[in-house]
Structure formats: structure tokens, C-alpha cells
């Protein structure tokens, strides 16, 4: 598989991540009242939920993104991009492991909260790219500052997962049902 095709595939992933992701309204300067509503919101925020989207299903690869968020406020916690590349395309595991993601995601190798792994899954390789701890403002801002994830408002403490998922759907991403996770080979990466 040519480097040009791999770059095109990773650019597709980047395009889906470069969406407006509004703040969920949590500013560092907001007051910290302890009303019943905010207490129940905090309880809900101790639970992490996720949604899985198919963002591309081409002949040469399938691509999925998993959006992790808190149950209460729907604060974005993590993004995972999974590309399944059939071995029949000629791509090798070594090539995928050595591929420099900094060419697609600027400064990827410098992010302490990001990782890449390549797995041999029988007839195809899975490339799993993770951006974790996105509920930490500094990590979120690094993605924004490097053009990987666009924030509507840079002055918020976190990002709204609903805005991200809405923008993904508007961009053509299809939500994957829970029943299809295992069939698609995604359960081991959730």
C-alpha cells in the first residue's frame, strides 16, 4: 500500500476530528455552588459513556471513531480512531507501526495523552489511535492549538461531546449500534 494512500486515510480521520466542539459551559471563573442540580450532575459525571461511529467504509479500509464522555454533563473525555486495513491491500504491520503520525497530527509524538497501536486481527490490521484525558483543559488546548480538534471557545475548561458527535453526523458519520460492535471486531478496543 502506498504512503500516499495511508496519508489519505489518516487525513480522513483528521477531517472528522476537525469539527466545532463547543464548550460545555464550564469556565474556571464560574461559581462553585453546591445546589442539588450540580451535585446530581457531578454524580453523573463519574460514569463514562461512549458512542461509536463509522466514518468511512472504503474498499481499502474501514474506519471508526469512539467518543467517550461523562454521563451527566456530556464532557468529552477521549477520542479513539480505529482503522481496519485488509492485509489483501499489501500493507504490512511494520509499515503501519513505523508510519509517522506527526505528518498527519502535528506534534502527535509529543502528546503524553495520545498513543498509537497496531494489531494483527486476522484478515486485517487495526490501527488504534487514542487521545485520552481530554477532560484535562491543557490536553484539549494542545489538540486545538495543533489544529487537530477545533474548539468554538478556547476559554472553557472542557468540550461538549454532543457538539462533536452532532458535527460528525453532519459530516456523514454513521452511528454504530451496540449489537454491531462485536460483529465489526470493535469490542476489544472499547
Amino acid at each position: 500500500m502506498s504512503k500516499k494512500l495511508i496519508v489519505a486515510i489518516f487525513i480522513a480521520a483528521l477531517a472528522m476530528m476537525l469539527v466545532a466542539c463547543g464548550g460545555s459551559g464550564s469556565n474556571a471563573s464560574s461559581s462553585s455552588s453546591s445546589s442539588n442540580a450540580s451535585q446530581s450532575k457531578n454524580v453523573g459525571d463519574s460514569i463514562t459513556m461512549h458512542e461509536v461511529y463509522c466514518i468511512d467504509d472504503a474498499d481499502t479500509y474501514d474506519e471508526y471513531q469512539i467518543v467517550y464522555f461523562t454521563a451527566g454533563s456530556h464532557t468529552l473525555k477521549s477520542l479513539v480512531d480505529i482503522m481496519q486495513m485488509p492485509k489483501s491491500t499489501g500493507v504490512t504491520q511494520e509499515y503501519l507501526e513505523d508510519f509517522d503520525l506527526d505528518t498527519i497530527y502535528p506534534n502527535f509524538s509529543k502528546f503524553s495523552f495520545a498513543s498509537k497501536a497496531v494489531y494483527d486481527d486476522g484478515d486485517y490490521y487495526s490501527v488504534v489511535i487514542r487521545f485520552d484525558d481530554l477532560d484535562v483543559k491543557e490536553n484539549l488546548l494542545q489538540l486545538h492549538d495543533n489544529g487537530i480538534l477545533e474548539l468554538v471557545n478556547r476559554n472553557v475548561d472542557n468540550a461538549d461531546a454532543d457538539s462533536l458527535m452532532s458535527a460528525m453526523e453532519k459530516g456523514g458519520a454513521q452511528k454504530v449500534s451496540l449489537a454491531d460492535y462485536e460483529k465489526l471486531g470493535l469490542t476489544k478496543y472499547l
Side-chain angles (χ1 to χ4, degrees):
M1 180 174 276
S2 72
K3 182 173 181 170
K4 188 174 183 178
L5 179 57
I6 296 293
V7 170
I9 292 167
F10 284 115
I11 288 174
L14 179 61
M16 288 307 294
M17 293 179 81
L18 278 175
V19 295
C21 191
S24 65
S26 175
N27 281 330
S29 62
S30 65
S31 68
S32 57
S33 68
S34 59
S35 69
N36 289 338
S38 67
Q39 286 176 351
S40 65
K41 186 176 178 181
N42 291 337
V43 170
D45 282 350
S46 65
I47 299 168
T48 301
M49 300 176 63
H50 69 275
E51 293 289 348
V52 178
Y53 289 89
C54 177
I55 63 168
D56 206 347
D57 57 347
D59 289 338
T60 54
Y61 68 97
D62 293 326
E63 185 170 8
Y64 305 93
Q65 285 190 352
I66 306 171
V67 179
Y68 290 92
F69 54 93
T70 59
S73 64
H74 284 220
T75 297
L76 179 65
K77 293 187 65 78
S78 298
L79 288 171
V80 178
D81 190 78
I82 301 169
M83 285 168 278
Q84 297 175 330
M85 300 184 174
K87 292 178 180 177
S88 62
T89 63
V91 69
T92 65
Q93 186 168 357
E94 180 180 22
Y95 176 79
L96 294 171
E97 288 171 347
D98 292 342
F99 188 84
D100 182 12
L101 280 180
D102 284 3
T103 61
I104 307 302
Y105 301 114
N107 295 311
F108 179 88
S109 62
K110 296 177 184 174
F111 298 150
S112 62
F113 57 93
S115 64
K116 175 184 89 168
V118 179
Y119 301 94
D120 185 337
D121 287 328
D123 293 336
Y124 59 90
Y125 295 112
S126 293
V127 180
V128 180
I129 301 167
R130 298 186 63 91
F131 294 94
D132 291 313
D133 300 323
L134 297 181
D135 52 344
V136 175
K137 182 178 183 174
E138 293 76 24
N139 297 343
L140 195 60
L141 290 177
Q142 284 186 56
L143 291 184
H144 175 78
D145 292 343
N146 284 282
I148 297 169
L149 186 70
E150 183 181 340
L151 297 174
V152 173
N153 180 353
R154 192 178 194 289
N155 296 318
V156 295
D157 289 336
N158 49 55
D160 178 44
D162 291 335
S163 295
L164 173 62
M165 292 184 289
S166 176
M168 288 172 65
E169 289 173 13
K170 286 178 185 171
Q174 299 293 314
K175 194 179 286 191
V176 176
S177 72
L178 182 61
D180 289 333
Y181 289 4
E182 188 170 349
K183 182 172 48 172
L184 295 170
L186 299 175
T187 54
K188 60 186 150 197
Y189 303 115
L190 295 177

